[in-house]
Amino acid sequence: MSGRPQVTGLAAAALVAVATTASAQATPTVFYAARILTADTDPIDQGALVAHGGKILAVGSRATVALPAGAAIIDVGDRWLSPGFVDLHHHVSSGPGGDINDMVAPLNAELRTLDTVRPHEEAILRTLSGGVTTTLFIPGSGTNISGFGVLLKMRHGDKLEAMVIKDLGAMKVAQGFNPERRSGDLGLTRMGSSEMLTRLLEQGRDYARAWREHEAGRGPAPKLEPELEQLRLVFDRKVPVLIHTAGARDCVATARMFQDVFDVRMVLSHGCFDGWMAAAALAKRQTPVNLGPRMYEFDRYSRFQGMCQAYWDVGCKDMSVNTDAPVVAAEELPLQAAMANRLGLPYIAALQAVTLAPARQIGLHDKVGSLTVGKDADLLVTRGDPLDPRHPPEQVWIEGKKVYQSGDVR
């Protein structure tokens, strides 16, 4: 290792920052750590991770990873490395007050949160302080369709284009309870909201089919309908649907509508209150679930019930958890996973519920969610287990650039 720059300790980050650019490192960087949690393989003790160009080039034990010539080395000593966390139900990138739910009409498939993002919003920095590097910033739940959420990297203070992963990350739908409060006369009942939602989804399905037929040379060009253009992407299976759903009745209704009737990519989000009582019906459909912010419930006999465990034990294995920030503070996503683990969810399932599982559900598993060769170098440095609330992130890196240091939020 003669002639190769050696920098040790957490103070090394200040020196390495000199060798980084806004997009990626100019030279390779090697991280040494006591343990690396990749989230998709067994933990690696005395591990090494090589990052360059914002991507992971190699990860393994120090004995097996070859060091690139001229690499800067960061030895974090007895600290751990783990993937940046992913939150699919997030509302806090546009500042206080939200500005993310137009309440004039109950169906707003033409709207999007991309236009409301404020890169310097303090809530983004607080999100980073919990190790959350990727979020789906979605509209609110006051209407049946409130618009499309944007997928973001939490690059606080950077340019918007540097933050955006995908303009349209998912369409936000809300079923039951919330939309019944203020969504209009017809939307005040489940019958009315179901009828309106079904009718619009049928229009979007038919519109998308007509365009596919035209593009395949089997029909004329349909009349352009701008209000259906975003919805068209859902039925082309290019953009998933995230459905706010709570309660057993509505969980089953959501699965029936978005899995049995309409052929779309979907994730059932929340699943709270007595939703866990319908978990077996969801397991039969292999429904992807994004649970939270409640991590526990009480059964009919007032017994404590871990919500994630209830879903997991009957076969709902495609599971992530959320904060619904600011309902639960955005930086507490790892605490949500820790609570799920403490209340009966297996540890590896809890870790993947904030890393690999949400990345897969939203279609980003080729980029984020695990410390895997070829993926973005989004990683956390912690004093120990990242799901232990006593070990908040000391550093957060996005695509090989340090974006958070403990103490940045006061």
Side-chain angles (χ1 to χ4, degrees):
M1 297 173 65
S2 177
R4 194 173 286 122
Q6 292 280 334
V7 186
T8 60
L10 288 175
L15 295 177
V16 174
V18 175
T20 62
T21 67
S23 59
Q25 310 99 300
T27 58
T29 302
V30 178
F31 293 86
Y32 285 150
R35 171 165 279 205
I36 298 178
L37 297 182
T38 67
D40 62 354
T41 62
D42 291 336
I44 302 169
D45 290 326
Q46 298 305 311
L49 182 146
V50 182
H52 188 222
K55 301 291 184 180
I56 298 171
L57 295 187
V59 61
S61 68
R62 297 192 193 190
T64 60
V65 171
L67 304 186
I73 297 177
I74 303 177
D75 188 340
V76 299
D78 61 356
R79 270 56 168 178
W80 294 23
L81 297 184
S82 57
F85 299 134
V86 181
D87 193 346
L88 299 186
H89 200 126
H90 200 263
H91 298 292
V92 296
S93 293
S94 63
D99 192 29
I100 53 171
N101 207 156
D102 194 296
M103 301 298 294
V104 175
L107 299 169
N108 297 289
E110 66 275 22
L111 303 184
R112 62 183 191 178
T113 59
L114 172 65
D115 306 301
T116 74
V117 177
R118 301 199 307 186
H120 288 82
E121 173 56 42
E122 182 182 350
I124 295 174
L125 185 59
R126 292 191 175 277
T127 301
L128 277 175
S129 73
V132 182
T133 55
T134 301
T135 65
L136 176 63
F137 170 41
I138 53 175
S141 306
T143 50
N144 288 127
I145 296 180
S146 49
F148 282 68
V150 57
L151 278 165
L152 298 171
K153 288 287 185 76
M154 295 284 93
R155 296 178 179 273
H156 178 254
D158 211 331
K159 295 179 180 179
L160 178 62
E161 53 266 31
M163 296 177 62
V164 174
I165 306 171
K166 193 174 181 182
D167 291 0
L168 304 179
M171 184 172 76
K172 171 66 182 298
V173 170
Q175 297 273 70
F177 297 113
N178 282 35
E180 295 174 354
R181 294 182 298 190
R182 291 192 300 159
S183 65
D185 292 342
L186 184 56
L188 287 176
T189 69
R190 279 175 171 78
M191 290 187 298
S193 63
S194 179
E195 191 276 336
M196 287 192 302
L197 184 57
T198 298
R199 191 191 325 169
L200 181 61
L201 292 174
E202 288 174 342
Q203 291 173 2
R205 177 198 61 197
D206 296 345
Y207 184 69
R209 180 188 297 133
W211 274 107
R212 286 196 301 272
E213 288 294 301
H214 169 67
E215 290 165 355
R218 294 192 293 265
K223 177 184 176 182
L224 180 65
E225 299 187 54
E227 69 276 14
L228 296 179
E229 279 294 300
Q230 293 185 166
L231 185 55
R232 170 184 167 189
L233 299 177
V234 170
F235 287 96
D236 286 341
R237 300 183 62 84
K238 295 179 180 178
V239 178
V241 187
L242 187 90
I243 308 105
H244 162 123
T245 308
R249 170 181 55 185
D250 292 320
C251 284
V252 173
T254 288
R256 184 185 301 119
M257 178 177 291
F258 290 95
Q259 291 184 283
D260 299 355
V261 177
F262 296 103
D263 180 24
V264 298
R265 295 165 52 203
M266 62 83 73
V267 181
L268 188 156
S269 192
H270 285 325
C272 298
F273 299 102
D274 64 352
W276 60 275
M277 298 178 68
L282 303 184
K284 290 179 180 178
R285 294 177 168 87
Q286 298 184 321
T287 305
V289 292
N290 172 244
L291 303 178
R294 292 171 179 261
M295 287 291 104
Y296 64 87
E297 306 284 356
F298 293 97
D299 70 10
R300 67 181 63 187
Y301 302 108
S302 298
R303 294 175 298 198
F304 212 65
Q305 174 64 60
M307 188 173 68
C308 292
Q309 179 206 20
Y311 279 86
W312 186 267
D313 285 353
V314 296
C316 289
K317 307 298 185 182
D318 189 352
M319 178 188 300
S320 62
V321 300
N322 68 64
T323 59
D324 193 11
V327 176
V328 168
E331 63 268 28
E332 293 185 4
L333 182 64
L335 178 59
Q336 294 286 87
M339 291 175 64
N341 175 230
R342 176 64 180 83
L343 296 172
L345 185 67
Y347 177 83
I348 187 60
L351 176 64
Q352 291 185 341
V354 290
T355 55
L356 192 56
R360 185 184 299 116
Q361 288 174 341
I362 208 64
L364 290 182
H365 52 288
D366 61 333
K367 296 181 180 296
V368 301
S370 64
L371 299 182
T372 304
V373 172
K375 291 191 179 184
D376 294 348
D378 297 354
L379 53 92
L380 317 179
V381 178
T382 59
R383 190 176 294 275
D385 181 356
L387 299 192
D388 187 328
R390 297 170 297 180
H391 303 147
E394 296 185 352
Q395 297 177 10
V396 180
W397 297 69
I398 291 180
E399 295 175 19
K401 180 185 177 182
K402 191 181 73 170
V403 294
Y404 173 80
Q405 176 77 41
S406 180
D408 287 351
V409 173
R410 301 187 187 280

